[in-house]
mmCIF file of all heavy atoms in Angstrom:
data_model
loop_
_atom_site.group_PDB
_atom_site.id
_atom_site.type_symbol
_atom_site.label_atom_id
_atom_site.label_comp_id
_atom_site.label_asym_id
_atom_site.label_seq_id
_atom_site.Cartn_x
_atom_site.Cartn_y
_atom_site.Cartn_z
ATOM 1 N N PRO B 1 -8.339 -0.967 3.712
ATOM 2 C CA PRO B 1 -7.040 -0.752 3.057
ATOM 3 C C PRO B 1 -7.159 -0.386 1.573
ATOM 4 O O PRO B 1 -6.445 0.488 1.102
ATOM 5 C CB PRO B 1 -6.320 -2.087 3.257
ATOM 6 C CG PRO B 1 -6.873 -2.594 4.561
ATOM 7 C CD PRO B 1 -8.328 -2.186 4.533
ATOM 8 N N GLU B 2 -8.075 -1.021 0.872
ATOM 9 C CA GLU B 2 -8.259 -0.754 -0.565
ATOM 10 C C GLU B 2 -8.475 0.741 -0.845
ATOM 11 O O GLU B 2 -7.876 1.313 -1.756
ATOM 12 C CB GLU B 2 -9.450 -1.574 -1.074
ATOM 13 C CG GLU B 2 -9.649 -1.541 -2.564
ATOM 14 C CD GLU B 2 -8.669 -2.419 -3.326
ATOM 15 O OE1 GLU B 2 -8.226 -3.445 -2.798
ATOM 16 O OE2 GLU B 2 -8.352 -2.065 -4.467
ATOM 17 N N GLN B 3 -9.338 1.392 -0.023
ATOM 18 C CA GLN B 3 -9.613 2.830 -0.189
ATOM 19 C C GLN B 3 -8.353 3.647 0.053
ATOM 20 O O GLN B 3 -8.054 4.573 -0.688
ATOM 21 C CB GLN B 3 -10.632 3.314 0.853
ATOM 22 C CG GLN B 3 -12.039 2.814 0.740
ATOM 23 C CD GLN B 3 -12.827 3.241 1.993
ATOM 24 O OE1 GLN B 3 -12.546 2.794 3.096
ATOM 25 N NE2 GLN B 3 -13.793 4.109 1.801
ATOM 26 N N VAL B 4 -7.653 3.312 1.125
ATOM 27 C CA VAL B 4 -6.457 4.057 1.522
ATOM 28 C C VAL B 4 -5.380 3.947 0.451
ATOM 29 O O VAL B 4 -4.762 4.934 0.059
ATOM 30 C CB VAL B 4 -5.922 3.558 2.886
ATOM 31 C CG1 VAL B 4 -4.601 4.234 3.230
ATOM 32 C CG2 VAL B 4 -6.951 3.790 3.975
ATOM 33 N N ILE B 5 -5.161 2.732 -0.053
ATOM 34 C CA ILE B 5 -4.149 2.483 -1.081
ATOM 35 C C ILE B 5 -4.452 3.328 -2.321
ATOM 36 O O ILE B 5 -3.564 3.952 -2.896
ATOM 37 C CB ILE B 5 -4.088 0.970 -1.417
ATOM 38 C CG1 ILE B 5 -3.531 0.200 -0.212
ATOM 39 C CG2 ILE B 5 -3.269 0.706 -2.673
ATOM 40 C CD1 ILE B 5 -3.792 -1.301 -0.252
ATOM 41 N N LYS B 6 -5.718 3.358 -2.705
ATOM 42 C CA LYS B 6 -6.130 4.132 -3.874
ATOM 43 C C LYS B 6 -5.888 5.629 -3.651
ATOM 44 O O LYS B 6 -5.298 6.310 -4.479
ATOM 45 C CB LYS B 6 -7.610 3.859 -4.170
ATOM 46 C CG LYS B 6 -8.052 4.296 -5.537
ATOM 47 C CD LYS B 6 -9.452 3.779 -5.823
ATOM 48 C CE LYS B 6 -9.797 4.068 -7.270
ATOM 49 N NZ LYS B 6 -10.885 3.250 -7.745
ATOM 50 N N LYS B 7 -6.338 6.133 -2.484
ATOM 51 C CA LYS B 7 -6.161 7.549 -2.166
ATOM 52 C C LYS B 7 -4.692 7.917 -2.002
ATOM 53 O O LYS B 7 -4.297 9.046 -2.248
ATOM 54 C CB LYS B 7 -6.930 7.919 -0.889
ATOM 55 C CG LYS B 7 -8.438 8.005 -1.112
ATOM 56 C CD LYS B 7 -9.155 8.343 0.162
ATOM 57 C CE LYS B 7 -8.996 9.800 0.525
ATOM 58 N NZ LYS B 7 -9.774 10.197 1.708
ATOM 59 N N ALA B 8 -3.879 6.943 -1.570
ATOM 60 C CA ALA B 8 -2.448 7.185 -1.352
ATOM 61 C C ALA B 8 -1.662 7.135 -2.672
ATOM 62 O O ALA B 8 -0.479 7.427 -2.694
ATOM 63 C CB ALA B 8 -1.890 6.166 -0.366
ATOM 64 N N GLN B 9 -2.349 6.744 -3.759
ATOM 65 C CA GLN B 9 -1.708 6.631 -5.080
ATOM 66 C C GLN B 9 -0.549 5.618 -5.056
ATOM 67 O O GLN B 9 0.512 5.862 -5.613
ATOM 68 C CB GLN B 9 -1.183 8.005 -5.534
ATOM 69 C CG GLN B 9 -2.228 9.083 -5.606
ATOM 70 C CD GLN B 9 -3.010 9.049 -6.902
ATOM 71 O OE1 GLN B 9 -2.433 8.985 -7.976
ATOM 72 N NE2 GLN B 9 -4.327 9.084 -6.814
ATOM 73 N N ILE B 10 -0.795 4.501 -4.366
ATOM 74 C CA ILE B 10 0.196 3.432 -4.282
ATOM 75 C C ILE B 10 -0.304 2.254 -5.106
ATOM 76 O O ILE B 10 -1.509 1.981 -5.124
ATOM 77 C CB ILE B 10 0.419 3.007 -2.804
ATOM 78 C CG1 ILE B 10 1.070 4.165 -2.026
ATOM 79 C CG2 ILE B 10 1.272 1.748 -2.703
ATOM 80 C CD1 ILE B 10 1.210 3.915 -0.543
ATOM 81 N N ASP B 11 0.620 1.587 -5.775
ATOM 82 C CA ASP B 11 0.271 0.401 -6.548
ATOM 83 C C ASP B 11 -0.510 -0.563 -5.651
ATOM 84 O O ASP B 11 -0.130 -0.817 -4.512
ATOM 85 C CB ASP B 11 1.548 -0.266 -7.067
ATOM 86 C CG ASP B 11 1.263 -1.601 -7.721
ATOM 87 O OD1 ASP B 11 0.730 -1.593 -8.842
ATOM 88 O OD2 ASP B 11 1.543 -2.641 -7.085
ATOM 89 N N ARG B 12 -1.612 -1.085 -6.180
ATOM 90 C CA ARG B 12 -2.539 -1.908 -5.400
ATOM 91 C C ARG B 12 -1.863 -3.103 -4.733
ATOM 92 O O ARG B 12 -2.015 -3.336 -3.529
ATOM 93 C CB ARG B 12 -3.672 -2.378 -6.329
ATOM 94 C CG ARG B 12 -4.805 -3.044 -5.628
ATOM 95 C CD ARG B 12 -5.987 -3.253 -6.588
ATOM 96 N NE ARG B 12 -6.984 -4.071 -5.908
ATOM 97 C CZ ARG B 12 -7.011 -5.389 -5.976
ATOM 98 N NH1 ARG B 12 -6.116 -6.056 -6.675
ATOM 99 N NH2 ARG B 12 -7.941 -6.055 -5.322
ATOM 100 N N THR B 13 -1.113 -3.870 -5.504
ATOM 101 C CA THR B 13 -0.449 -5.067 -4.963
ATOM 102 C C THR B 13 0.541 -4.683 -3.867
ATOM 103 O O THR B 13 0.543 -5.259 -2.779
ATOM 104 C CB THR B 13 0.284 -5.837 -6.086
ATOM 105 O OG1 THR B 13 -0.682 -6.147 -7.098
ATOM 106 C CG2 THR B 13 0.899 -7.121 -5.578
ATOM 107 N N TYR B 14 1.353 -3.689 -4.159
ATOM 108 C CA TYR B 14 2.345 -3.229 -3.193
ATOM 109 C C TYR B 14 1.651 -2.717 -1.923
ATOM 110 O O TYR B 14 2.071 -3.026 -0.807
ATOM 111 C CB TYR B 14 3.212 -2.125 -3.820
ATOM 112 C CG TYR B 14 4.303 -1.625 -2.918
ATOM 113 C CD1 TYR B 14 5.441 -2.393 -2.686
ATOM 114 C CD2 TYR B 14 4.212 -0.386 -2.300
ATOM 115 C CE1 TYR B 14 6.452 -1.942 -1.854
ATOM 116 C CE2 TYR B 14 5.218 0.077 -1.467
ATOM 117 C CZ TYR B 14 6.332 -0.704 -1.255
ATOM 118 O OH TYR B 14 7.325 -0.254 -0.435
ATOM 119 N N GLY B 15 0.584 -1.971 -2.098
ATOM 120 C CA GLY B 15 -0.177 -1.447 -0.966
ATOM 121 C C GLY B 15 -0.699 -2.544 -0.060
ATOM 122 O O GLY B 15 -0.585 -2.463 1.169
ATOM 123 N N HIS B 16 -1.240 -3.597 -0.657
ATOM 124 C CA HIS B 16 -1.745 -4.722 0.145
ATOM 125 C C HIS B 16 -0.605 -5.434 0.874
ATOM 126 O O HIS B 16 -0.782 -5.913 1.994
ATOM 127 C CB HIS B 16 -2.574 -5.684 -0.711
ATOM 128 C CG HIS B 16 -3.944 -5.155 -1.001
ATOM 129 N ND1 HIS B 16 -4.924 -5.052 -0.040
ATOM 130 C CD2 HIS B 16 -4.491 -4.650 -2.137
ATOM 131 C CE1 HIS B 16 -6.021 -4.521 -0.573
ATOM 132 N NE2 HIS B 16 -5.772 -4.270 -1.844
ATOM 133 N N GLN B 17 0.573 -5.485 0.244
ATOM 134 C CA GLN B 17 1.730 -6.095 0.911
ATOM 135 C C GLN B 17 2.135 -5.278 2.136
ATOM 136 O O GLN B 17 2.564 -5.835 3.145
ATOM 137 C CB GLN B 17 2.904 -6.210 -0.067
ATOM 138 C CG GLN B 17 2.658 -7.237 -1.161
ATOM 139 C CD GLN B 17 3.713 -7.188 -2.263
ATOM 140 O OE1 GLN B 17 4.379 -6.177 -2.465
ATOM 141 N NE2 GLN B 17 3.843 -8.296 -2.982
ATOM 142 N N LEU B 18 1.958 -3.958 2.070
ATOM 143 C CA LEU B 18 2.257 -3.102 3.227
ATOM 144 C C LEU B 18 1.275 -3.390 4.360
ATOM 145 O O LEU B 18 1.660 -3.483 5.523
ATOM 146 C CB LEU B 18 2.205 -1.622 2.841
ATOM 147 C CG LEU B 18 3.204 -1.159 1.785
ATOM 148 C CD1 LEU B 18 2.976 0.313 1.448
ATOM 149 C CD2 LEU B 18 4.635 -1.388 2.239
ATOM 150 N N PHE B 19 -0.002 -3.534 4.001
ATOM 151 C CA PHE B 19 -1.032 -3.782 5.008
ATOM 152 C C PHE B 19 -0.972 -5.182 5.606
ATOM 153 O O PHE B 19 -1.383 -5.390 6.737
ATOM 154 C CB PHE B 19 -2.439 -3.500 4.450
ATOM 155 C CG PHE B 19 -2.831 -2.055 4.543
ATOM 156 C CD1 PHE B 19 -2.637 -1.201 3.480
ATOM 157 C CD2 PHE B 19 -3.385 -1.543 5.709
ATOM 158 C CE1 PHE B 19 -2.984 0.149 3.565
ATOM 159 C CE2 PHE B 19 -3.739 -0.207 5.814
ATOM 160 C CZ PHE B 19 -3.533 0.643 4.737
ATOM 161 N N ASN B 20 -0.466 -6.159 4.833
ATOM 162 C CA ASN B 20 -0.395 -7.508 5.416
ATOM 163 C C ASN B 20 0.988 -7.825 5.980
ATOM 164 O O ASN B 20 1.228 -8.918 6.477
ATOM 165 C CB ASN B 20 -0.892 -8.588 4.432
ATOM 166 C CG ASN B 20 0.011 -8.783 3.232
ATOM 167 O OD1 ASN B 20 1.223 -8.569 3.300
ATOM 168 N ND2 ASN B 20 -0.572 -9.205 2.124
ATOM 169 N N GLY B 21 1.904 -6.845 5.908
ATOM 170 C CA GLY B 21 3.198 -6.993 6.562
ATOM 171 C C GLY B 21 4.262 -7.730 5.771
ATOM 172 O O GLY B 21 5.325 -8.017 6.310
ATOM 173 N N THR B 22 3.997 -8.048 4.498
ATOM 174 C CA THR B 22 5.017 -8.751 3.713
ATOM 175 C C THR B 22 6.040 -7.789 3.116
ATOM 176 O O THR B 22 7.088 -8.216 2.653
ATOM 177 C CB THR B 22 4.402 -9.619 2.590
ATOM 178 O OG1 THR B 22 3.608 -8.793 1.745
ATOM 179 C CG2 THR B 22 3.551 -10.741 3.165
ATOM 180 N N ARG B 23 5.737 -6.494 3.091
ATOM 181 C CA ARG B 23 6.688 -5.469 2.635
ATOM 182 C C ARG B 23 6.795 -4.402 3.713
ATOM 183 O O ARG B 23 5.821 -4.119 4.411
ATOM 184 C CB ARG B 23 6.202 -4.803 1.333
ATOM 185 C CG ARG B 23 6.122 -5.692 0.119
ATOM 186 C CD ARG B 23 7.472 -6.111 -0.462
ATOM 187 N NE ARG B 23 8.206 -5.053 -1.113
ATOM 188 C CZ ARG B 23 8.095 -4.756 -2.401
ATOM 189 N NH1 ARG B 23 7.268 -5.417 -3.178
ATOM 190 N NH2 ARG B 23 8.826 -3.788 -2.917
ATOM 191 N N VAL B 24 7.967 -3.814 3.828
ATOM 192 C CA VAL B 24 8.197 -2.740 4.795
ATOM 193 C C VAL B 24 8.134 -1.412 4.042
ATOM 194 O O VAL B 24 8.880 -1.220 3.083
ATOM 195 C CB VAL B 24 9.570 -2.887 5.484
ATOM 196 C CG1 VAL B 24 9.767 -1.785 6.521
ATOM 197 C CG2 VAL B 24 9.703 -4.254 6.121
ATOM 198 N N PRO B 25 7.247 -0.511 4.461
ATOM 199 C CA PRO B 25 7.119 0.756 3.732
ATOM 200 C C PRO B 25 8.304 1.699 3.953
ATOM 201 O O PRO B 25 8.861 1.762 5.043
ATOM 202 C CB PRO B 25 5.839 1.367 4.303
ATOM 203 C CG PRO B 25 5.684 0.746 5.648
ATOM 204 C CD PRO B 25 6.314 -0.612 5.573
ATOM 205 N N SER B 26 8.649 2.416 2.911
ATOM 206 C CA SER B 26 9.660 3.469 3.018
ATOM 207 C C SER B 26 9.001 4.660 3.723
ATOM 208 O O SER B 26 7.776 4.698 3.906
ATOM 209 C CB SER B 26 10.107 3.904 1.620
ATOM 210 O OG SER B 26 8.998 4.488 0.932
ATOM 211 N N ARG B 27 9.798 5.642 4.075
ATOM 212 C CA ARG B 27 9.265 6.848 4.709
ATOM 213 C C ARG B 27 8.240 7.513 3.780
ATOM 214 O O ARG B 27 7.170 7.925 4.220
ATOM 215 C CB ARG B 27 10.428 7.804 5.000
ATOM 216 C CG ARG B 27 10.010 9.078 5.725
ATOM 217 C CD ARG B 27 11.262 9.886 6.078
ATOM 218 N NE ARG B 27 10.975 11.047 6.892
ATOM 219 C CZ ARG B 27 10.941 12.290 6.423
ATOM 220 N NH1 ARG B 27 11.169 12.528 5.141
ATOM 221 N NH2 ARG B 27 10.699 13.308 7.242
ATOM 222 N N ASP B 28 8.563 7.604 2.479
ATOM 223 C CA ASP B 28 7.635 8.231 1.533
ATOM 224 C C ASP B 28 6.320 7.463 1.417
ATOM 225 O O ASP B 28 5.253 8.060 1.330
ATOM 226 C CB ASP B 28 8.278 8.362 0.145
ATOM 227 C CG ASP B 28 9.152 9.606 0.016
ATOM 228 O OD1 ASP B 28 9.341 10.328 1.021
ATOM 229 O OD2 ASP B 28 9.634 9.860 -1.102
#
């Protein structure tokens, strides 16, 4: 996930929340 979050240009903390299911990602 760390690599993907970085390549996706998403804030690190927010990205990890998407991967662990604590945040729901928007379409973008």
Side-chain angles (χ1 to χ4, degrees):
E2 188 77 30
Q3 292 171 294
V4 174
I5 292 163
K6 196 171 188 161
K7 286 179 75 175
Q9 303 277 311
I10 294 174
D11 172 74
R12 189 170 172 269
T13 304
Y14 182 75
H16 283 289
Q17 291 170 337
L18 298 177
F19 275 95
N20 68 29
T22 57
R23 295 289 289 270
V24 182
S26 64
R27 183 175 186 257
D28 276 5

